[in-house]
Amino acid sequence: GENVEQHPSTLSVQEGDSAVIKCTYSDSASNYFPWYKQELGKRPQLIIDIRSNVGEKKDQRIAVTLNKTAKHFSLHITETQPEDSAVYFCAASIDNNDMRFGAGTRLTVKP
Amino acid sequence: ETGVTQSPTHLIKTRGQQVTLRCSSQSGHNTVSWYQQALGQGPQFIFQYYREEENGRGNFPPRFSGLQFPNYSSELNVNALELDDSALYLCASSPWGGQGTDTQYFGPGTRLTVL
């Protein structure tokens, strides 16, 4: 089955700096790659997603890139703010089934 | 916030008991997936239901079972509870068919503690 690895496990940046989180996946058939943000005690919230027919997607300060050949995808957050502090999860699935999540990255943005 | 709801919010059980968790999907969504999230880890896929049928299953034993009802709400049942079943149980709903229907929206979760 699919295996998703996520790095780093913790990331601390200064407010205004950029943050990058990287994930790799093992199943070349995976075609959907969402990123979720989870604050303490709350549900995971979708922040951006990308499908295998697209190489890059951007939504304001958040962008995701996908390299299908290398089987890796990355989350980029620019101009970080303290409210960006949370745990971020990447995931991969085939046709919305059996979604596999990475272990998470705890992002801390210091004011 | 999504329109996905779960009940109960918290639950305490003892080892060997059985538990039923409930999930109401977002309006217009006919697919429900269940996940187990242990403390400090990412969600792990348990199974998915589509139109009242199990549509995929992760690496969980048969004592984890589910149902989906005609209104697309769903239940997760766990028999013979073990201490390691203590976790946050999340359900997520999504529509089915066509581009953009693989986005899953999570409910707030049920925190299960097994003593």
Side-chain angles (χ1 to χ4, degrees):
Chain A
E2 175 67 276
N3 182 46
V4 177
E5 294 192 356
Q6 182 172 348
H7 300 280
S9 57
T10 61
L11 180 59
S12 183
V13 300
Q14 208 65 38
E15 182 177 0
D17 287 350
S18 294
V20 179
I21 302 171
K22 298 182 179 182
C23 289
T24 60
Y25 61 99
S26 60
D27 192 338
S28 56
S30 290
N31 57 8
Y32 177 63
F33 308 91
W35 287 87
Y36 286 88
K37 174 184 180 183
Q38 188 175 29
E39 297 176 64
L40 191 63
K42 297 199 172 179
R43 72 186 80 193
Q45 289 195 305
L46 180 74
I47 57 170
I48 196 166
D49 56 11
I50 192 167
R51 292 171 177 84
S52 57
N53 58 348
V54 176
E56 185 173 354
K57 183 177 178 180
K58 188 173 181 181
D59 182 4
Q60 299 183 348
R61 298 187 295 110
I62 295 172
V64 58
T65 58
L66 170 65
N67 183 328
K68 287 189 294 182
T69 303
K71 289 188 281 189
H72 67 71
F73 55 115
S74 301
L75 177 71
H76 304 252
I77 305 175
T78 58
E79 301 171 22
T80 54
Q81 301 165 3
E83 51 265 40
D84 293 330
S85 296
V87 179
Y88 291 80
F89 292 99
C90 63
S93 74
I94 304 170
D95 295 333
N96 188 31
N97 208 336
D98 194 2
M99 187 172 293
R100 301 297 176 106
F101 284 77
T105 296
R106 181 172 299 279
L107 173 65
T108 303
V109 180
K110 295 179 284 187
Chain B
E1 294 294 330
T2 72
V4 184
T5 61
Q6 291 185 244
S7 62
T9 306
H10 297 87
L11 203 52
I12 300 175
K13 292 284 189 178
T14 56
R15 196 169 46 181
Q17 284 188 311
Q18 178 265 342
V19 69
T20 297
L21 310 181
R22 295 177 176 83
C23 172
S24 291
S25 59
Q26 187 164 313
S27 177
H29 289 185
N30 55 15
T31 303
V32 174
S33 302
W34 284 92
Y35 297 86
Q36 180 194 69
Q37 186 176 25
L39 205 58
Q41 297 182 22
Q44 286 200 333
F45 176 71
I46 302 175
F47 42 57
Q48 181 182 87
Y49 276 82
Y50 167 62
R51 290 188 176 179
E52 303 177 57
E53 299 278 339
E54 188 178 287
N55 187 48
R57 188 179 184 92
N59 190 27
F60 279 81
R63 61 189 184 84
F64 285 79
S65 63
L67 282 173
Q68 188 178 34
F69 300 99
N71 67 354
Y72 304 127
S73 65
S74 177
E75 286 183 355
L76 164 65
N77 300 290
V78 187
N79 293 324
L81 283 167
E82 301 176 0
L83 297 179
D84 285 349
D85 295 334
S86 294
L88 180 68
Y89 287 85
L90 295 160
C91 74
S93 75
S94 53
W96 186 272
Q99 181 78 3
T101 56
D102 34 22
T103 302
Q104 297 189 12
Y105 298 92
F106 282 88
T110 294
R111 173 74 61 189
L112 173 65
T113 303
V114 182
L115 302 176

